[in-house]
């Protein structure tokens, strides 16, 4: 399987398309944009029909073969998209993907979208079966040091220019949330005629954020301000904020806290652990305070709750994502709304 970086994808899609594309990674914006680019290139070459399947343990993998062997009356080429949330297709999925990779269907592109694929996954049967048949695009998170450069490149592609200090201002505002950065850049495009973004304009845009801000919500949860966090959550919901965006911000900090907690358990100093986990200097007080009240086992349960919210957002659980988010925010803030046993039971629904 040819392995590509995100900056190589455009050129790779300008020629003959591969029969299989695997897009993996934890950064939602990069995964989404890479998948969009593949779909758009396929449509431009006549792949006008698309079938989307969310993979869970109950998925019928025979649908892959039947979908690939049947076309609608209105299309001669098809895109089959498989979204594997946990990056593990299971035994049946492994066999189905192995068989499909051995003889990819004509006039069909198989697009597989997963989370991060670790070394174990890349040694698995299904991954190796795909190696010789398609293309793997692995997306990687943008860390704090890389973020200004990423924002600068994004602004340049949008026809905008700004000096380093102005770009740093936006980087400090979004703190690693690429989706938020992309949205701010789109806003800036509407506010300038000549494409030049001054520090004054950037400061005004940064200050003119939503009344209920996702990052404010997370900071209040980290600080143990349950009342304030819940108020922010209700405000974000009333303003039409996407639940998955709220979940992304909460999950990011929960993962970072868990990494810190595990390093501390290994005997590392808290300050060293936070630096190793990539905690921004100005957030170390908040993160450090949260580490004083949240242990590794609690953080692992929070991650399980976050995974349950994710499945509710995708329709894979019979639950309201915003109700689940409320429980997650309360637990994150230090308020026990449900006993751990009840949380685990709820995640099965």
């Amino acid at each position: 399987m040819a392995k590509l970086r995100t900056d190589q994808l455009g050129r790779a899609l300008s020629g003959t398309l591969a029969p299989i594309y695997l897009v993996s990674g934890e950064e939602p914006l990069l995964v989404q944009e890479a998948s969009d680019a593949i779909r758009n290139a396929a449509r431009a070459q006549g792949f006008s029909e698309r079938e989307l399947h969310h993979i869970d343990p109950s998925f019928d993998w025979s649908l892959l073969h039947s979908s690939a062997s049947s076309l609608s009356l209105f299309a001669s080429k098809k895109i089959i998209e498989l979204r594997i949330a946990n990056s593990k297709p299971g035994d049946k999925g492994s066999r189905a993907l192995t068989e499909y990779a051995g003889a990819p269907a004509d006039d069909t592109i198989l697009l597989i979208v997963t989370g991060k694929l670790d070394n174990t996954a890349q040694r698995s049967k299904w991954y190796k079966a795909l190696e010789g048949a398609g293309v793997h695009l692995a997306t990687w998170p943008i860390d704090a040091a890389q973020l200004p450069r990423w924002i600068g490149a994004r602004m340049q592609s949008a026809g905008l220019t700004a000096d380093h200090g102005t770009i740093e201002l936006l980087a400090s505002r979004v703190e690693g949330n690429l989706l938020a950065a992309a949205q701010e850049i789109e806003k800036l495009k509407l506010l300038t005629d000549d494409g030049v973004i001054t520090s004054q304009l950037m400061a005004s845009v940064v200050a003119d954020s939503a009344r209920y801000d996702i990052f404010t919500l997370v900071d209040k949860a980290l600080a143990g301000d349950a009342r304030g966090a819940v108020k922010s959550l209700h405000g974000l919901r009333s303003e039409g904020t996407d639940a998955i965006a709220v979940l992304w911000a909460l999950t990011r900090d929960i993962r970072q806290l868990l990494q810190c907690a595990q390093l501390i358990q290994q005997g590392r100093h808290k300050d060293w652990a936070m630096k190793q986990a990539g905690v921004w200097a100005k957030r170390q007080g908040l993160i450090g305070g949260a580490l004083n009240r949240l242990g590794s086992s609690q953080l692992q349960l929070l991650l399980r709750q976050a995974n349950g919210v994710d499945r509710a957002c995708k329709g894979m659980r019979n639950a309201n994502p915003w109700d689940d988010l409320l429980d997650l925010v309360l637990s994150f803030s230090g308020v026990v709304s449900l006993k751990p046993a009840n949380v685990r039971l709820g995640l099965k629904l």
Side-chain angles (χ1 to χ4, degrees), residues 1 20 22 97 101 110 112 125-134:
M1 178 183 292
I20 300 172
L22 171 62
L97 291 172
L110 177 62
I112 305 167
K125 292 181 180 179
W126 67 271
Y127 181 89
K128 290 182 177 181
L130 298 174
E131 278 187 315

Side-chain angles (χ1 to χ4, degrees), residues 211-288:
R211 188 162 60 95
Y212 293 100
D213 182 85
I214 291 176
F215 299 110
T216 299
L217 161 65
V218 177
D219 286 353
K220 288 179 178 178
L222 283 167
D225 180 7
R227 183 185 297 274
V230 169
K231 182 178 179 181
S232 293
L233 180 67
H234 289 322
L236 288 164
R237 182 178 185 179
S238 67
E239 289 178 349
T241 305
D242 191 341
I244 202 72
V246 179
L247 176 63
W248 180 92
L250 289 165
T251 303
R252 182 196 64 171
D253 277 21
I254 293 169
R255 290 186 185 280
Q256 200 169 49
L257 282 165
L258 180 58
Q259 184 179 352
C260 291
Q262 290 173 337
L263 288 170
I264 293 169
Q265 279 186 333
Q266 295 169 14
R268 304 292 187 176
H269 190 275
K270 185 194 294 184
D271 292 342
W272 185 92
M274 288 192 288
K275 183 177 180 180
Q276 191 71 14
V279 178
W280 292 65
K282 71 176 185 178
R283 290 176 58 78
Q284 288 184 3
L286 274 173
I287 295 292

Side-chain angles (χ1 to χ4, degrees), residues 2-319:
K3 293 186 177 181
L4 295 179
R5 301 189 308 270
T6 51
D7 60 342
Q8 298 173 316
L9 182 60
R11 179 177 295 181
L13 294 175
S14 63
T16 302
L17 299 179
I20 300 172
Y21 288 91
L22 171 62
V23 179
S24 66
E26 295 178 315
E27 174 49 60
L29 179 67
L30 298 182
V31 170
Q32 175 186 317
E33 291 187 339
S35 302
D36 287 344
I38 293 168
R39 294 187 207 101
N40 291 338
R43 291 190 188 101
Q45 295 192 28
F47 292 82
S48 56
E49 184 180 355
R50 176 182 173 226
E51 285 190 16
L52 173 62
H53 301 282
H54 291 279
I55 309 304
D56 61 22
S58 64
F59 180 71
D60 181 2
W61 280 95
S62 66
L63 291 174
L64 174 59
H65 176 74
S66 60
S67 295
S69 60
S70 63
L71 290 169
S72 74
L73 298 174
F74 308 101
S76 58
K77 295 182 178 181
K78 173 190 290 189
I79 304 168
I80 299 175
E81 184 170 340
L82 306 179
R83 296 187 182 177
I84 309 176
N86 62 1
S87 308
K88 297 176 182 178
D91 293 339
K92 293 181 180 178
S94 179
R95 287 194 294 271
L97 291 172
T98 300
E99 293 172 3
Y100 185 90
D106 294 332
D107 298 323
T108 299
I109 287 178
L110 177 62
L111 172 59
I112 305 167
V113 181
T114 77
K116 178 182 176 181
L117 294 176
D118 57 20
N119 290 334
T120 300
Q122 294 188 44
R123 291 193 296 267
S124 64
K125 292 181 180 179
W126 67 271
Y127 181 89
K128 290 182 177 181
L130 298 174
E131 278 187 315
V135 171
H136 177 201
L137 182 82
T139 66
W140 300 98
I142 306 297
D143 63 25
Q146 298 170 320
L147 184 58
R149 185 168 64 250
W150 184 88
I151 289 175
R154 185 93 180 186
M155 291 180 69
Q156 185 176 19
S157 67
L160 303 176
T161 59
D163 61 31
H164 182 70
T166 303
I167 291 173
E168 284 280 359
L169 179 59
L170 180 55
S172 67
R173 166 69 172 79
V174 299
E175 292 184 347
N177 188 334
L178 301 191
L179 179 58
Q183 291 172 338
E184 295 290 0
I185 291 169
E186 290 301 309
K187 187 191 300 182
L188 288 165
K189 286 171 61 178
L190 302 175
L191 298 175
T192 179
D193 295 325
D194 57 7
V196 177
I197 307 302
T198 64
S199 58
Q200 292 83 2
L201 177 58
M202 182 68 80
S204 68
V205 169
V206 166
D208 187 27
S209 58
R211 188 162 60 95
Y212 293 100
D213 182 85
I214 291 176
F215 299 110
T216 299
L217 161 65
V218 177
D219 286 353
K220 288 179 178 178
L222 283 167
D225 180 7
R227 183 185 297 274
V230 169
K231 182 178 179 181
S232 293
L233 180 67
H234 289 322
L236 288 164
R237 182 178 185 179
S238 67
E239 289 178 349
T241 305
D242 191 341
I244 202 72
V246 179
L247 176 63
W248 180 92
L250 289 165
T251 303
R252 182 196 64 171
D253 277 21
I254 293 169
R255 290 186 185 280
Q256 200 169 49
L257 282 165
L258 180 58
Q259 184 179 352
C260 291
Q262 290 173 337
L263 288 170
I264 293 169
Q265 279 186 333
Q266 295 169 14
R268 304 292 187 176
H269 190 275
K270 185 194 294 184
D271 292 342
W272 185 92
M274 288 192 288
K275 183 177 180 180
Q276 191 71 14
V279 178
W280 292 65
K282 71 176 185 178
R283 290 176 58 78
Q284 288 184 3
L286 274 173
I287 295 292
L291 285 169
N292 290 336
R293 60 181 176 80
L294 293 170
S296 178
S297 60
Q298 291 170 288
L299 290 165
Q300 288 172 345
L301 182 57
L302 287 174
L303 271 186
R304 287 195 61 188
Q305 284 186 258
N307 181 59
V309 179
D310 181 64
R311 290 188 287 120
C313 289
K314 295 173 180 176
M316 297 165 64
R317 279 185 66 236
N318 184 22

